[in-house]
Amino acid sequence: MSLDIIASNKSFDGWHKQYRHESALLGCEMRFAVYLPPQALTGQKVPVLYWLSGLTCTDENFMQKAGAQRIAAELGIALVAPDTSPRGEQVPDDAAYDLGKGAGFYVNATQSPWRAHYQMYDYVTRELPDLIETHFPISSRRAISGHSMGGHGALIAALREPGRYRSVSAFSPISHPSRSPWGQKALGAYLGNNPLLWQEWDTCQLLRHHDCQPLPTRVDVGLDDPFLAEQLGIETLAEIAEAKGWPLALHRHAGYDHSYFFVASFIEAHLRFHAEHLLELP
């Protein structure tokens, strides 16, 4: 699979690079960004943190707003940020911001007209990592993180893929989408109107009903987040994790909201959390 470079920027002695490629899985051209720390420029294979962004975002939001490159360079961790949905004139869309382009929800759609292109789960857990590990000096030591809809994507990927990731974290994740207006709309459209089919794409349901392999987990949420009560389901997640003995470190922050100001404030803590598991001896 060939890659076409769009942009290249030196950053903390590493390189931020943005690429496009044809996705056989999604049937369209996709874009992603990668930050290669200076350790990767010597030929050394480095571990990687995959970042999944939220509604309306692209690969650019995290790379330009989170300020993650300085710590990633210090730690020797690559960063990979895919887009949040398929793109292109042939790809179905919706007039609202919370469905269609920019709102792929990291599921594999089964319903028309979405199923031909909206296979975002397989893209971020299979096709993209295969591409990354083929074309860049990046190892199979993976962690995953994300924000809001991307936090949902990161958590379900970790729960559905035992052994694929060494750690998972999330900022303000949509933890219980089958009980969230955003989640109900997206899951209903992409998967159909039977809520039982949504359980495999719902963090709280996966954790409640499956004996998942425990994985170090960190979640941060702002207590002034306007979506906290209606959309995120954080307290339900905390209750289930405690009941199951799941290793969840939940951090609640007074005064913080849902924005990238919040993400930028605590991204260093997340990167150091992942480094404890990505950089440990096998």
Side-chain angles (χ1 to χ4, degrees), residues 28 52 54 56 86 90 95 117 136 138 147 156 174-175 187 205 219:
C28 67
L52 306 184
T56 75
Q90 77 278 27
H117 299 283
F136 300 97
I138 290 176
H147 172 234
I156 63 168
I174 304 172
S175 305
L187 298 180
Q205 298 284 31
V219 170

Side-chain angles (χ1 to χ4, degrees), residues 164-188:
R164 188 165 183 82
Y165 303 100
R166 295 186 173 226
S167 52
V168 59
S169 72
F171 290 84
S172 312
I174 304 172
S175 305
H176 203 359
S178 61
R179 297 293 179 88
S180 155
W182 280 336
Q184 290 168 345
K185 180 176 181 178
L187 298 180

